[in-house]
Amino acid sequence: MTFGKTTWHVDTVQGQCPECDEQTLLIAVVEDFYRCTSCGADTKQYVNGHIKYLKINDEDKKWLKRKRSASTRS
């Protein structure tokens, strides 16, 4: 996607959402964290021989919130 001279790349993948259990499109929120386009849940990508998407825990949610707020201030 291009606006003026800025080019944006949105990382999207297909995967199994652990919240709604649907095979769906997942959109990157920040590195290794994705949002399900079916139910809106945030997931964490886990790679160990194959790619798996996991429910995020409270610590992940806090980190993600800090990361998002830091990127909006930049």
Side-chain angles (χ1 to χ4, degrees):
M1 184 181 294
T2 303
F3 294 102
K5 295 182 180 185
T6 304
T7 302
W8 295 8
H9 172 76
V10 178
D11 186 22
T12 60
V13 296
Q14 279 206 279
Q16 186 83 22
C17 175
E19 287 288 334
C20 65
D21 204 33
E22 295 286 327
Q23 185 70 23
T24 188
L25 183 66
L26 302 164
I27 299 174
V29 179
V30 294
E31 185 178 332
D32 297 333
F33 286 88
Y34 291 80
R35 180 160 294 150
C36 174
T37 58
S38 294
C39 70
D42 291 330
T43 63
K44 185 175 185 178
Q45 187 181 60
Y46 176 72
V47 180
N48 185 13
H50 68 281
I51 298 172
K52 188 173 188 177
Y53 297 92
L54 308 173
K55 291 182 181 182
I56 59 174
N57 59 32
D58 289 336
E59 186 177 318
D60 291 331
K61 288 177 185 177
K62 289 176 187 174
W63 181 88
L64 188 55
K65 187 175 181 177
R66 285 193 307 270
K67 184 77 170 174
R68 284 185 192 156
S69 64
S71 67
T72 58
R73 286 182 276 189
S74 299

